[in-house]
């Protein structure tokens, strides 16, 4: 009978860690799992700019009536400005508000499936743990391009470009806009230039996932490579998130951007995305987008927000340097120096899943089995302990 055939789903490799860490009663536990920013006391406070916008919204909002299928159009436009800047492709860009960037990834995947049922989506090896499930659930094929060099812990550009040169007009190449999840190893500007040339030559569709704008080198610097590409290809897609840089995790605030060959084509594709959204969730939740819109359109609020993101970025960069320094000092070798070079919240440490499990079970340090740590989950007081246990389990 229907429903009798289902086995339980496997635990989510990231979300299950938060649950397990919460249930752990060891006082010295450290959660370096899910990509959430925490301050040096271990809290994720509501950002000041958000608090101020919320107070204003409470005063000003006069109705809770439906906003409309594409969500908040003013938010969509302001977010596209933040991403694309003044670039020429903005004239062909249309945005749709989505429930988080996962919602954007899925809706855009559904649209790809409608347009090209046999399309293959190429993901970086490694990539965000939810990329393959989203693409496969949408019915798309998934392949991987070489990305993370396990020796240098940086991008293996040559191998990456060699793999991408196999992708053609029926392929989509998914790129991380900045702050690569999970590895922390970002494309250089030269890499973006080379990928752009390949996209032009091979005709594949670039699909950019950007969830950490502002956490790498700065709000504009983080999209310099993406903007280079955006100005030089016929079409591209973007999934963008406000979870991290606005701290709006639970509000599920994201954006799907469609850029076709003409505005007319982009709008046609948008109408198909809205059709997919209608049969999935109808329309996105309003609150987070209303706040982001207010912040991006008010000079003082925007400055408060930019300053807060700068402070978060500097804290994480400082933690990177401190952890790399402690590891160098305790081990007497520079093996983990790459941690200071990585960008954004994450680094992949190059340890085995068994070593990651030992860190969890024996030392109450929670990290993803891929060896990914969330630097932004660390407190300064944790650094020596983490360095010591990491060297212990890796016998370095
Ligand atoms: C992460 O990678 O930890 C975050 O993006 C949270 C998520 O949804 O997986």
């Amino acid at each position: 009978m229907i429903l009798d055939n289902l086995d339980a789903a496997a635990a989510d490799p990231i979300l299950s860690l938060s649950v397990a860490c919460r249930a752990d009663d060891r006082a010295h536990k450290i959660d370096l799992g899910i990509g959430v920013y925490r301050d040096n006391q271990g809290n994720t406070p509501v950002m000041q700019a958000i608090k101020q916008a919320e107070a204003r919204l409470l005063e000003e909002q006069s109705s809770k009536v439906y906003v409309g299928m594409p969500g908040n159009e003013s938010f969509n436009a302001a977010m596209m400005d933040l991403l694309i800047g003044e670039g020429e492709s903005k004239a062909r860009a249309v945005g749709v508000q989505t429930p988080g960037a996962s919602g954007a990834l899925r809706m855009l995947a559904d649209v790809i499936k409608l347009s090209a049922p046999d399309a293959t989506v190429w993901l970086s090896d490694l990539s965000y743990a939810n990329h393959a499930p989203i693409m496969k659930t949408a019915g798309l094929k998934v392949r991987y391009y070489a990305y993370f060099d396990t020796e240098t812990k940086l991008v293996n550009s040559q191998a990456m470009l060699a793999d991408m040169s196999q992708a053609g007009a029926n392929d989509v190449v998914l790129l991380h806009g900045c702050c690569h999840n999970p590895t922390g190893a970002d494309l250089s500007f030269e890499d973006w230039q080379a990928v752009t040339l390949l996209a032009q030559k091979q005709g594949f569709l670039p699909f950019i996932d950007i969830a950490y704008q502002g956490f790498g080198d700065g709000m504009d610097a983080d999209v310099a490579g993406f903007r280079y590409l955006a100005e030089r290809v016929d079409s591209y897609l973007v999934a963008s998130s406000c979870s991290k840089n606005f701290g709006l995790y639970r509000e599920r605030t994201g954006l799907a951007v469609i850029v076709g060959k003409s505005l007319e084509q982009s709008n046609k594709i948008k109408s198909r995305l809205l059709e997919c959204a209608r049969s999935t969730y109808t329309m996105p939740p309003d609150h987070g987008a209303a706040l982001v819109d207010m912040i991006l359109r008010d000079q003082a609020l925007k400055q408060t927000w930019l300053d807060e993101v700068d402070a978060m970025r500097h804290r994480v960069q400082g933690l990177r340097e401190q952890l790399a320094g402690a590891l160098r000092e305790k081990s007497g070798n520079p093996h983990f120096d790459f941690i200071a070079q990585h960008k954004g919240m994450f680094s992949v440490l190059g340890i085995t899943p068994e070593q990651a499990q030992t860190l969890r079970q024996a030392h109450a340090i929670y990290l993803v089995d891929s060896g990914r740590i969330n630097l932004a989950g660390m407190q300064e007081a944790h650094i020596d302990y983490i360095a010591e246990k990491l060297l212990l389990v890796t016998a370095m």
Side-chain angles (χ1 to χ4, degrees):
M1 202 188 145
I2 289 177
L3 303 181
D4 286 349
N5 293 328
L6 292 177
D7 291 330
D12 183 90
I14 297 173
L15 302 180
S16 63
L17 282 179
S18 312
V19 178
C21 187
R22 261 199 303 272
D24 190 332
D25 54 15
R26 288 174 288 182
H28 61 291
K29 66 187 176 185
I30 302 172
D31 187 358
L32 307 182
I34 193 163
V36 166
Y37 177 85
R38 294 195 192 88
D39 63 19
N40 205 36
Q41 284 69 49
N43 302 316
T44 308
V46 180
M47 291 170 74
Q48 276 309 312
I50 293 289
K51 274 279 181 214
Q52 289 172 29
E54 275 183 324
R56 206 183 286 177
L57 192 70
L58 193 64
E59 279 300 305
E60 289 175 5
Q61 196 170 53
S62 55
S63 175
K64 293 283 185 191
V65 76
Y66 293 122
V67 174
M69 282 174 66
N72 181 331
E73 292 284 24
S74 176
F75 160 87
N76 296 342
M79 283 291 288
M80 286 196 289
D81 283 348
L82 194 69
L83 280 166
I84 305 171
E86 289 314 307
E88 175 273 330
S89 69
K90 206 163 86 179
R92 318 191 307 279
V94 296
V96 175
Q97 187 197 325
T98 52
S102 298
L105 286 164
R106 177 56 196 269
M107 288 303 106
L108 290 167
D110 282 355
V111 165
I112 294 166
K113 179 72 182 174
L114 279 178
S115 173
D118 288 335
T120 298
V121 180
W122 292 70
L123 304 178
S124 54
D125 181 19
L126 307 160
S127 200
Y128 170 44
N130 208 16
H131 277 158
I134 289 175
M135 298 306 152
K136 287 181 186 165
T137 310
L140 295 165
K141 286 180 282 211
V142 166
R143 283 183 71 175
Y144 290 87
Y145 57 87
Y147 188 83
F148 189 58
D149 186 325
T150 50
E151 283 301 308
T152 61
K153 311 289 188 297
L154 302 173
V155 179
N156 185 341
S157 308
Q158 231 183 338
M160 173 184 79
L161 296 170
D163 283 350
M164 281 184 191
S165 60
Q166 294 176 51
N170 207 35
D171 293 283
V172 178
V173 173
L174 201 147
L175 301 153
H176 298 229
C178 64
C179 307
H180 188 270
N181 181 3
T183 68
D186 270 2
L187 296 179
S188 66
F189 192 71
E190 290 68 33
D191 290 330
W192 280 100
Q193 290 177 310
V195 171
T196 303
L197 270 181
L198 270 183
Q200 290 168 328
K201 190 165 144 236
Q202 307 287 123
F204 58 72
L205 178 68
F207 186 169
I208 292 87
D209 182 3
I210 181 155
Y212 299 86
Q213 189 179 352
F215 278 91
D217 292 314
M219 206 54 74
D220 281 321
D222 284 353
V223 283
F226 154 67
R227 286 179 181 172
Y228 178 90
L229 173 134
E231 295 318 305
R232 287 164 182 81
V233 293
D234 284 348
S235 309
Y236 66 86
L237 304 174
V238 184
S240 164
S241 170
C242 300
S243 293
K244 328 285 170 166
N245 55 9
F246 286 90
L248 284 170
Y249 308 90
R250 66 173 65 168
E251 302 293 354
R252 310 312 299 141
T253 309
L255 179 78
V257 180
I258 300 160
V259 178
K261 293 194 177 90
S262 62
L263 181 61
E264 192 193 349
Q265 193 196 20
S266 304
N267 274 319
K268 208 185 289 175
I269 302 165
K270 173 182 169 184
S271 74
R272 300 310 296 262
L273 189 148
L274 292 178
E275 183 183 47
C276 296
R278 176 65 170 141
S279 61
T280 311
Y281 55 79
T282 291
M283 61 185 78
D286 173 60
H287 188 67
L291 301 173
V292 170
D293 180 40
M294 196 181 277
I295 291 168
L296 293 179
R297 293 187 182 283
D298 179 298
Q299 230 182 333
L301 273 180
K302 186 171 178 184
Q303 196 53 55
T304 303
W305 169 68
L306 286 171
D307 292 346
E308 289 182 277
V309 179
D310 278 351
M312 293 197 284
R313 178 177 69 255
H314 289 134
R315 183 178 119 74
V316 179
Q317 190 52 39
L319 290 165
R320 288 188 174 283
E321 278 152 25
Q322 287 178 58
L323 181 62
L327 286 160
R328 197 182 320 116
E329 201 184 293
K330 286 181 198 297
S331 65
N333 75 54
H335 178 84
F336 286 105
D337 278 8
F338 63 84
I339 293 174
Q341 290 166 41
H342 284 167
K343 302 283 181 196
M345 285 194 187
F346 308 120
S347 272
V348 159
L349 298 174
I351 65 173
T352 64
E354 292 73 30
Q355 289 168 333
Q357 283 150 24
T358 305
L359 282 169
R360 205 153 63 223
Q361 285 154 12
H363 307 297
I365 300 172
Y366 283 76
L367 71 164
V368 187
D369 278 354
S370 64
R372 185 191 86 170
I373 55 167
N374 171 27
L375 278 293
M378 221 176 258
Q379 297 170 34
E380 285 179 12
H382 293 151
I383 289 182
D384 273 343
Y385 178 77
I386 294 169
E388 205 176 285
K389 299 308 176 198
L390 183 56
L391 294 174
L392 184 70
V393 304
T394 54
M396 290 237 192

